[in-house]
């Protein structure tokens, strides 16, 4: 698993997908174009201030609202390596898992990480490490089915390998 | 094992006797839906996967409704991706403008979605079809691509919340008020990952249009699905539309619920949700004077015929306040025609409203009524997030169509009785 480390950018509860990618940018589905407008509904300077690998830290119900997959695509393509939040809205959660954007529920970490803290996430060890505050948090393991999706690199890769196995057996 | 209606439908779609909350399942899909915003990504993923055929050309529904009729060149290209794909794969239910409607009003009207179905749509308001006693939920574009390839989808079986309404509705209260009130009580994540099952004598007495409004906004409480067990009203609606077999499921009387709520409708007056979240609902009468610039009556929440009848009742013989722009958007061609034939259009036009072709348009700040900085709208739509209808410094308030119509006349958010009683006073004078 790729190493995840970066600066934390912190947001409030109920960040919705209109804030992550406003509808005025939905007349395209090109991830690179979407990435230019990432967080434009809440933080217009977002894409200028972040560096590759940075981490978004949200509160409760992160990604609520519309089902637009443009939201996790914009975040992923903007170079964000992981989203940590207290809780996630369900469509955003499954969209992120499906497209291979690492996403972690941790009430404690989301509460305690401060803006611009340097945070490392080690998915294999199941740990979030706040290097600035020198504090570690255990991540609850994903359910078994979702682990398969994640290790396959997303839903379509999972289906593809399942189909290949099916053909090999047949 | 006793089960809820949601659990029974999910079990039937994996060919098992039972499922339990939190089980991971891979279920068979009856109907899959995409629109001009979400389907282009699904189509791209479908094609890059190397898939040659869709799982069932009769069960994939494509509706260009968000930015159609095309709002600009980029939107035109998104819509073209749908059209080309639909032609190539001979998709039965592709709706070109002229037959197109706002998807969540269109699919039930056309009898495409039926009781007992498992429906997924790459649009969060896909939960609307729960009003038919179906399991129906919003998903993303990659999920849609996977269903287009395999006809199956993964789920975690949701826990269920039961919400029971008793009592008769107060004047000018409809399904929209019941759901705004509920979200106000439980919060925008009050049903996160869960199923919301709406029951009780009040629900039984509601027409289908109100039931669609309720299930439509289950997502605004974070729910996976909203559902109303089918009854005579449901079956009457469905029998004249269904072109295939369907199954009616009911929750067992001893089914397990994670939480139960009971609301008395006597306590529920017409509601308004203040920005920036649908949970900020209050009775209209609690509000101070809130001046508005625009009123939108339409959308997948409240763009059906009974919504326009309600609005017309209020608007008849009145003029829209000169400071207000009133935009009426019937959700489908049939609703449009019916409203016209019933004479509602004359009432709207005489009042000074504009009437748009079916589209999601302004609800998501797409077009056909986008707000400038500092402007405020009252809309019968479903979301009042920051910047939802346009500029980040504009505001959206949510209500039912009667409150929206009354407010268009007064120029501020108003209870319908304010306008109706002024009609009575005028009549007395003459």
């Amino acid at each position: 698993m790729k190493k995840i480390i970066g600066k934390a950018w912190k947001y409030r509860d109920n960040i919705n997908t209109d804030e992550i990618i406003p509808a005025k940018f939905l007349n395209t589905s090109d991830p690179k174009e979407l990435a230019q407008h990432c967080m434009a509904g809440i933080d217009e300077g977002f894409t200028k201030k972040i560096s590759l690998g940075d981490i978004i830290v949200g509160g409760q119900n992160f990604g609520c609202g519309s089902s637009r997959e443009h939201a996790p695509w914009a975040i992923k393509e903007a170079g964000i390596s992981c989203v940590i939040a207290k809780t996630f809205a369900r469509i955003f959660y499954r969209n992120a898992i499906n497209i291979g954007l690492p996403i972690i529920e941790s009430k404690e970490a989301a509460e305690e990480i401060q803006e611009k803290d340097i945070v490392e996430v080690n998915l294999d060890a199941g740990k979030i490490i706040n290097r600035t505050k020198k504090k570690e948090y255990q991540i609850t393991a994903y359910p078994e089915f979702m682990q398969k999706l994640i290790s396959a690199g997303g839903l379509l890769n999972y289906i593809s390998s399942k189909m290949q196995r099916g053909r090999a057996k047949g | 094992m006793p089960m809820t209606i949601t659990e029974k439908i999910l079990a039937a779609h994996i060919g098992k006797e039972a499922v339990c909350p939190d089980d991971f399942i891979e279920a068979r899909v009856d109907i899959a839906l995409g629109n001009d915003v979400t389907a282009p990504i699904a189509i791209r993923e479908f094609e890059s996967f190397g898939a040659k055929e869709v799982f069932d050309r009769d069960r994939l529904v494509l509706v260009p409704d968000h930015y159609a009729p095309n709002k600009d060149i980029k939107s035109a290209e998104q819509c073209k991706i749908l059209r080309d794909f639909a032609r190539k794969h001979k998709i039965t239910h592709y709706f070109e403008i002229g037959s197109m409607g706002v998807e969540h009003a269109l699919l039930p009207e056309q009898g495409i979605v039926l009781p007992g179905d498992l429906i997924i749509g790459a649009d969060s308001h896909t939960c609307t079809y729960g009003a038919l006693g179906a399991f129906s939920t919003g998903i993303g574009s990659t999920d849609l691509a996977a269903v287009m390839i395999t006809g199956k989808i993964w789920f975690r079986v949701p826990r269920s919340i039961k919400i029971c309404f008793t009592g008769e509705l107060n004047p000018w209260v409809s399904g929209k008020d019941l759901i705004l009130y509920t979200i106000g009580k439980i919060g925008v994540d009050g049903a996160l990952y869960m199923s919301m099952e709406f029951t009780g004598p009040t629900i039984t007495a509601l027409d289908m249009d109100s039931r669609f409004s309720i299930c439509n906004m289950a997502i605004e409480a974070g729910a996976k699905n909203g559902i109303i067990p089918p009854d005579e009203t449901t079956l009457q609606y469905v029998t004249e539309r269904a072109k295939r077999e369907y199954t009616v499921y009911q929750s067992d009387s001893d089914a397990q619920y994670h939480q139960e709520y009971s609301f008395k409708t006597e306590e529920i007056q017409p509601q308004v949700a203040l920005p920036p979240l649908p949970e900020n609902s209050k009775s209209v009468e609690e509000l101070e004077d809130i001046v508005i610039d625009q009123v939108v009556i339409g959308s997948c929440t409240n763009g059906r015929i009974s919504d326009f009848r309600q609005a017309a009742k209020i608007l008849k013989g009145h003029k829209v306040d000169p400071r207000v722009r009133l935009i009426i958007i019937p959700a489908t061609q049939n609703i449009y025609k019916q409203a016209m034939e019933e004479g509602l259009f004359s009432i709207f036009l005489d009042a000074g409203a504009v009437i748009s072709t079916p589209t999601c348009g302004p609800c998501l700040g797409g077009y056909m009524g986008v707000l400038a900085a500092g402007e405020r709208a009252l809309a019968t739509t479903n979301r009042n997030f920051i910047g939802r209808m346009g500029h980040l410094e504009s505001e959206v308030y949510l209500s039912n169509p009667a409150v929206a119509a009354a407010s268009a006349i007064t120029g501020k958010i108003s209870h319908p009785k304010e306008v109706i009683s002024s009609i009575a006073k005028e009549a007395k004078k003459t």
Side-chain angles (χ1 to χ4, degrees):
Chain A
M1 193 73 69
K2 217 170 78 184
K3 193 167 183 181
I4 297 170
I5 184 161
K7 203 180 270 180
W9 300 101
K10 214 171 164 177
Y11 296 92
R12 58 164 162 72
D13 292 343
N14 300 313
I15 291 294
N16 63 63
T17 52
D18 277 81
E19 288 168 326
I20 299 170
I21 184 84
K24 63 181 170 185
F25 304 119
L26 294 186
N27 54 6
T28 178
S29 46
D30 174 15
K32 291 203 164 44
E33 203 177 330
L34 294 168
Q36 291 167 16
H37 309 293
C38 185
M39 305 306 274
I42 177 101
D43 187 358
E44 282 181 296
F46 181 79
T47 52
K48 291 201 176 68
K49 73 183 183 189
I50 60 164
S51 308
L52 197 67
D54 280 0
I55 290 169
I56 288 177
V57 179
Q60 293 193 106
N61 202 24
F62 186 93
C64 62
S66 155
S67 70
R68 60 188 73 162
E69 202 170 282
H70 310 64
W73 277 114
I75 291 173
K76 192 181 175 193
E77 284 295 316
I80 293 295
S81 60
C82 177
V83 185
I84 300 168
K86 288 181 190 168
T87 57
F88 289 93
R90 62 162 280 276
I91 305 178
F92 182 89
Y93 190 82
R94 65 183 294 142
N95 283 348
I97 298 284
N98 284 345
I99 70 163
L101 170 69
I103 184 167
I104 298 161
E105 264 188 12
S106 171
K107 281 194 171 62
E108 223 188 335
E111 183 81 47
E112 292 177 6
I113 293 171
Q114 299 292 313
E115 177 112 336
K116 296 186 184 169
D117 282 356
I118 300 297
V119 176
E120 184 185 338
V121 176
N122 188 329
L123 288 173
D124 295 329
K127 274 182 192 164
I128 299 170
I129 304 144
N130 186 337
R131 289 200 178 172
T132 309
K133 301 273 183 331
K134 303 199 172 22
K135 190 154 182 197
E136 283 191 16
Y137 306 90
Q138 288 296 320
I139 306 169
T140 315
Y142 291 103
E144 195 188 330
F145 176 77
M146 283 163 73
Q147 278 179 21
K148 285 185 198 162
L149 286 188
I150 293 163
S151 57
L155 178 63
L156 292 177
N157 287 339
Y158 168 77
I159 288 172
S160 173
S161 58
K162 211 171 134 184
M163 281 177 158
Q164 276 165 13
R165 278 202 305 277
R167 273 196 286 274
K169 270 185 207 161
Chain B
M1 193 183 99
M3 285 192 289
T4 65
I5 177 171
T6 290
E7 289 156 6
K8 285 183 184 180
I9 296 171
L10 291 175
H13 285 78
I14 57 167
K16 285 201 173 158
E17 289 287 312
V19 292
C20 292
D22 300 333
D23 282 356
F24 276 84
I25 58 168
E26 213 171 353
R28 179 176 56 76
V29 171
D30 291 308
I31 295 290
L33 164 74
N35 59 47
D36 52 314
V37 168
T38 58
I41 296 183
I43 290 169
R44 183 183 73 206
E45 297 293 306
F46 176 90
E47 284 170 351
S48 69
F49 186 88
K52 296 282 179 283
E53 284 180 7
V54 297
F55 77 109
D56 187 337
R57 69 184 188 92
D58 294 329
R59 291 177 183 271
L60 173 66
V61 184
L62 295 174
V63 188
D65 59 355
H66 278 55
Y67 295 150
N70 307 337
K71 95 173 171 96
D72 54 22
I73 294 169
K74 281 185 174 178
S75 305
E77 282 165 356
Q78 299 292 101
C79 290
K80 190 168 182 294
I81 294 172
L82 257 69
R83 186 179 304 116
D84 290 348
F85 187 86
R87 284 184 186 157
K88 182 178 172 189
H89 294 274
K90 300 186 171 58
I91 302 301
T92 311
H93 301 298
Y94 165 72
F95 293 89
E96 191 55 82
I97 59 164
S99 62
M100 178 274 278
V102 174
E103 54 203 48
H104 307 310
L106 184 68
L107 270 61
E109 176 194 283
Q110 297 293 317
I112 295 170
V113 286
L114 297 170
D117 278 356
L118 190 154
I119 306 145
I120 57 99
D123 187 280
S124 61
H125 293 107
T126 303
C127 51
T128 310
Y129 317 134
L132 297 164
F135 175 85
S136 192
T137 188
I139 44 88
S141 299
T142 296
D143 271 322
L144 176 60
V147 175
M148 283 159 62
I149 297 164
T150 66
K152 289 187 172 174
I153 190 161
W154 68 273
F155 284 124
R156 183 161 69 183
V157 176
R159 298 171 187 193
S160 289
I161 300 181
K162 190 175 182 174
I163 296 155
C164 181
F165 289 98
T166 52
E168 284 188 23
L169 297 181
N170 284 314
W172 305 110
V173 168
S174 63
K176 179 66 163 289
D177 304 289
L178 301 188
I179 189 65
L180 286 178
Y181 181 86
T182 304
I183 299 165
K185 291 286 175 200
I186 73 173
V188 290
D189 60 355
L192 202 59
Y193 297 100
M194 290 188 271
S195 170
M196 290 172 98
E197 185 175 324
F198 301 95
T199 65
T202 316
I203 301 292
T204 308
L206 288 179
D207 63 13
M208 285 310 296
D209 286 2
S210 261
R211 296 183 189 193
F212 285 124
S213 301
I214 291 175
C215 289
N216 174 273
M217 290 191 69
I219 178 70
E220 308 313 332
K224 177 170 276 184
N225 70 315
I227 196 161
I228 297 176
D231 59 14
E232 278 176 31
T233 306
T234 326
L235 297 182
Q236 197 184 349
Y237 180 90
V238 166
T239 44
E240 56 195 55
R241 293 173 164 85
K243 295 171 202 78
R244 59 181 168 88
E245 298 286 308
Y246 56 89
T247 314
V248 171
Y249 295 94
Q250 300 290 343
S251 292
D252 292 320
S253 56
D254 51 352
Q256 295 293 308
Y257 292 90
H258 181 68
Q259 267 170 312
E260 295 190 35
Y261 295 93
S262 189
F263 298 127
K264 290 190 173 58
T265 52
E266 289 84 357
E267 291 160 19
I268 305 175
Q269 295 296 337
Q271 301 283 303
V272 171
L274 281 58
L277 291 173
E279 71 184 15
N280 299 334
S281 57
K282 284 193 158 59
S283 293
V284 183
E285 289 160 301
E286 287 175 59
L287 302 177
E288 301 289 321
D289 284 359
I290 298 170
V291 177
I292 49 176
D293 304 287
Q294 177 168 297
V295 170
V296 177
I297 305 179
S299 84
C300 59
T301 317
N302 284 113
R304 299 182 181 82
I305 192 66
S306 59
D307 298 315
F308 297 111
R309 287 183 188 140
Q310 285 279 311
K313 244 187 233 177
I314 308 268
L315 285 164
K316 194 172 184 180
H318 282 276
K319 287 279 181 206
V320 170
D321 186 286
R323 291 165 299 182
V324 176
R325 313 180 292 267
L326 173 58
I327 302 169
I328 304 264
I329 313 179
T332 68
Q333 294 288 108
N334 282 342
I335 296 166
Y336 193 100
K337 191 167 177 229
Q338 197 176 350
M340 190 174 71
E341 287 174 355
E342 288 182 17
L344 308 185
F345 279 12
S346 297
I347 295 171
F348 298 147
L349 293 170
D350 290 344
V354 293
I355 303 165
S356 159
T357 180
T359 179
C360 303
C363 171
L364 73 160
Y367 73 127
M368 199 65 78
V370 172
L371 301 174
E375 288 194 321
R376 187 182 286 148
L378 177 64
T380 67
T381 55
N382 42 53
R383 290 196 175 125
N384 53 357
F385 299 157
I386 294 166
R388 173 74 179 177
M389 201 174 272
H391 198 281
L392 290 178
E393 287 163 30
S394 61
E395 285 184 333
V396 181
Y397 288 65
L398 306 174
S399 78
N400 75 28
V403 173
S407 307
I409 296 166
T410 61
K412 58 186 174 59
I413 297 180
S414 304
H415 193 294
K417 71 184 177 190
E418 280 184 44
V419 174
I420 293 298
S421 64
S422 76
I423 299 176
K425 273 182 208 157
E426 292 286 323
K428 245 183 194 174
K429 271 189 217 163
T430 53

